[in-house]
Structure formats: structure tokens, C-alpha cells
Amino acid sequence: MVGREQASLPSMRLTIVAAIVTLTATPAFATCPPWDGQPERFAQLSAQIKEAPDQATGQALSQAMWNIWAKAPDDKAQELIVRGQSARESYDYDAAIDAFDALVAYCPDYAEGYNQRAFIYFLRQDFEPALADLELALERNPEHIAARAGLALTLLNMGRFETGQAVLREALEMNPWLPERGLLV
């Protein structure tokens, strides 16, 4: 009897290993790859935007920065961004929050997930969670100028005028062409 049990151990081990491989390969166990952020390209855009000769050039460079931030780490994360933005455009803020919650859960190191969710909270005038998400976005990507501008707007809407103005100045040092520049006192 002992011989039969020992003979079946290798096949049992193979079955267990196969089950583990199958389970961890399913989407439920998938992990978000690191976001690349195109640091060389972003540095180039950052230098160019500070020297932009006019608003049209500044806006084009700003859009190029947005394209970098909005390029998710993988297709699953990109689909969540698109789903959340589509829901936002349809004023379905609950569905947008759900999509961005899923994005943040899947890609916790990707700043844009927090930034997008903060925007929904801001639109709802729910400033405390917007503030928290913007701070998380900036922890992950301190050069996320849009998150910094969003932080300034959130602080201003919370009545934190001096801090909001200081953060807006920081954002404008990074990108003097932000539309929020009209709020600087």
C-alpha cells in the first residue's frame, strides 16, 4: 500500500502545480504592470512648455502631457479609464467612481486613477475625498501638473485660499499655460 501512495505523489504534485498555474494566470489574479510615464519625453515637454511662445503652443504641449498621463500601464487599465471617462461624460458619476475604484485597486501605483476619481468627487463637490485622491496622485507622480492644478482648485473650493493659491503658483511654475491661471491673485 505504501508503494502505491508514494507512486501517486509525483502525479499529485503535478496536478497541484498545474492548478496553481491555472489559477494565477486568470484575470482575477492579474497584476498591473508598472506605468512607464515616458520620463525622457515628459522632461522634454516640461522644458518646452515653460518656453512656449504663445497659448496655442502651450496648449498643444499640455495635451501632449495629458496623452502621457492617460496612457495606462496595460489594456485592462486603459479600458477602466475609458469606461470611467465615458460614464463621467454621461453624468453617471456612480459608474465613473466604480470604474476608477477598480482602476485604483488594479493599479495602485498609477497616479491617473486617483486623479480621475478626484475629478469625479470634485464635480460632485465632495471635496474631502477629492483632496485625498489628489494627494495620493501627487505622491505617485509629483510632476502630474493637472493633479496639482486640481489640488489648487479643490483647496480654493474648500475655503483654504492661501494654500490653494500657493499650490496654484506651483502648478503654474510647472506649466504657465494652465487655464486655471486666471484664478491666481
Side-chain angles (χ1 to χ4, degrees), residues 132-155:
D133 272 349
L134 290 163
E135 289 171 346
L136 290 168
L138 289 167
E139 282 176 18
R140 283 148 181 80
N141 184 358
E143 295 181 14
H144 198 305
I145 300 164
R148 193 166 305 279
L151 179 62
L153 290 175
T154 301
L155 290 165

Side-chain angles (χ1 to χ4, degrees), residues 28-174:
F29 291 95
T31 58
C32 182
W35 179 69
D36 119 350
Q38 302 177 33
E40 296 85 16
R41 176 71 176 134
F42 192 84
Q44 180 185 36
L45 292 169
S46 292
Q48 289 174 336
I49 206 161
K50 292 173 187 168
E51 303 297 323
D54 54 49
Q55 185 170 346
T57 304
Q59 287 175 339
L61 292 165
S62 292
Q63 184 58 51
M65 288 177 166
W66 265 113
N67 292 343
I68 291 172
W69 295 319
K71 176 78 172 92
D74 68 7
D75 290 342
K76 177 180 177 177
Q78 194 68 50
E79 190 276 324
L80 290 168
I81 287 178
V82 170
R83 185 182 337 154
Q85 289 175 333
S86 295
R88 182 189 71 223
E89 290 168 9
S90 301
Y91 303 99
D92 187 352
Y93 296 152
D94 290 337
I97 291 287
D98 289 345
F100 296 130
D101 282 347
L103 178 58
V104 165
Y106 175 62
C107 296
D109 295 327
Y110 178 48
E112 191 58 26
Y114 298 94
N115 185 54
Q116 289 292 322
R117 187 170 65 183
F119 186 44
I120 302 303
Y121 287 130
F122 181 87
L123 292 172
R124 287 180 160 181
Q125 298 185 358
D126 197 358
F127 300 122
E128 288 294 334
L131 181 66
D133 272 349
L134 290 163
E135 289 171 346
L136 290 168
L138 289 167
E139 282 176 18
R140 283 148 181 80
N141 184 358
E143 295 181 14
H144 198 305
I145 300 164
R148 193 166 305 279
L151 179 62
L153 290 175
T154 301
L155 290 165
L156 291 171
N157 277 279
M158 294 174 78
R160 296 171 59 182
F161 185 78
E162 288 181 25
T163 306
Q165 287 287 303
V167 173
L168 183 55
R169 280 187 187 83
E170 292 171 3
L172 289 168
E173 285 177 20
M174 298 168 83

